[in-house]
Amino acid sequence: MKKRVTTVFVLLLVALLATPIFAAGKAEEKPAEKKQLTFLFMPGVADPFYFTMEKGIKAKAQELGVNLIVAEYPKSWGPEAQVPILEATIQKGGIDALLIAPTSVDALKAPLKKIYDKGIEIITVDTFIGDGDYSKTGTDYGFPLAYIGSDNELGGKQIAEQMAKMLGEKGKVFVEATNPDVSSVQGRVKGFTAGVAEFPNMKLVGVEWCMDVQQTAMTQTLAALQKDKDIVGIFGVNVFSAQGAAQAVVNAGLAGAVKIALWDATLTNIDSLKKGTVDLVLAQKPGEIGSLGVEWMYKYLTQKATVPKKVIPGFEFFTKANVNDAAMQPFIYQ
Ligand code: T6T
């Protein structure tokens, strides 16, 4: 009997000792294939700013081996155009992460929360939902990993300061904006308004909203110039509002007499600067914004990196003096 117990004990001991070696043998097998990640880019509207952003996203996705899906570009700005495209693309499945420019601070909260609740991580690029502070708890917009985009308020304020310099810190100015519920546009108008207020002899006589339709921006700016002949400065807040406002000044025969500051370095706006009909163009860095979105999302999903809640690339100012400088060319939206 004693002999049998000893034999069983020895067999058990051998089995126990053999397990690690067996397991170790298995460890030499090929590690499990790394899952290829798929990111979806959802732009705000079909315009040179987002086309340039897409280039930055594509280049970084290729570098990191991420599969990229670019959603159909909305033909007009707004949730009614963007959300159906977004939801139809998500519905097809296979998306691990979303980079999106939300076209409304409020209307995109619920559609994005639905997507987040499916386990899809989100970074908002160029624009944000809520107040853009995703570090807050207890809000209905605290779920995106980060906002990556320009400091729009700072840009608006700096444009006001440069406008003041051009106008000798006096005179009436007008703003042609796009949609009141878009974070980027809100910031630019707020910053410009605060900037103008610092000059007692300058007056902001009006802000118009063209809903991102260039033709509307042109007619609204023309009407403002006809209503108030004393307007000496105009700020166009984004691609379509800026191009429309500049067109209006030229059509009114006021090129050179009215100072114009535009946001977004499209080929059209840069050409107007070269022709002398426009005085200042702010260039954002859409390619860098997109690239950073891919990079931070990748780091989060593959290394559980801590993603900063806000990542703010800078911007550049084109003037008549530097518009042909070699160093400035990369900032033109191509
Ligand atoms: O100015 C950009 C972008 O930053 C803004 O959020 C929306 O308008 C543009 O896309 C230009 O059309």
Side-chain angles (χ1 to χ4, degrees), residues 205-225:
V205 294
V207 180
E208 281 294 353
W209 309 88
C210 71
M211 309 314 277
D212 217 28
V213 177
Q214 183 164 323
Q215 181 61 36
T216 308
M218 195 183 80
T219 47
Q220 287 177 336
T221 303
L222 214 47
L225 289 166

Side-chain angles (χ1 to χ4, degrees), residues 171-302:
K172 291 179 179 178
V173 293
F174 167 79
V175 173
E176 184 59 45
T178 58
N179 310 60
D181 62 342
V182 182
S183 64
S184 51
V185 173
Q186 288 173 345
R188 295 170 200 173
V189 174
K190 185 178 174 190
F192 184 81
T193 304
V196 169
E198 288 178 4
F199 299 94
N201 297 324
M202 286 181 71
K203 185 169 188 284
L204 176 58
V205 294
V207 180
E208 281 294 353
W209 309 88
C210 71
M211 309 314 277
D212 217 28
V213 177
Q214 183 164 323
Q215 181 61 36
T216 308
M218 195 183 80
T219 47
Q220 287 177 336
T221 303
L222 214 47
L225 289 166
Q226 284 159 349
K227 183 177 165 216
D228 192 331
K229 306 284 186 210
D230 299 333
I231 290 173
V232 288
I234 289 175
F235 171 31
V237 158
N238 85 329
V239 166
F240 293 128
S241 53
Q243 290 175 178
Q247 254 178 323
V249 171
V250 171
N251 294 354
L254 294 170
V258 173
K259 298 298 180 193
I260 304 178
L262 305 181
W263 194 294
D264 284 324
T266 60
L267 289 169
T268 303
N269 288 346
I270 293 299
D271 190 44
S272 301
L273 184 62
K274 288 179 177 174
K275 281 185 193 149
T277 53
V278 163
D279 304 275
L280 183 70
V281 175
L282 181 147
Q284 301 185 82
K285 297 182 178 176
E288 185 178 338
I289 293 169
S291 176
L292 286 166
V294 173
E295 188 174 350
W296 277 113
M297 184 61 82
Y298 182 81
K299 281 178 178 171
Y300 177 73
L301 293 177
T302 58

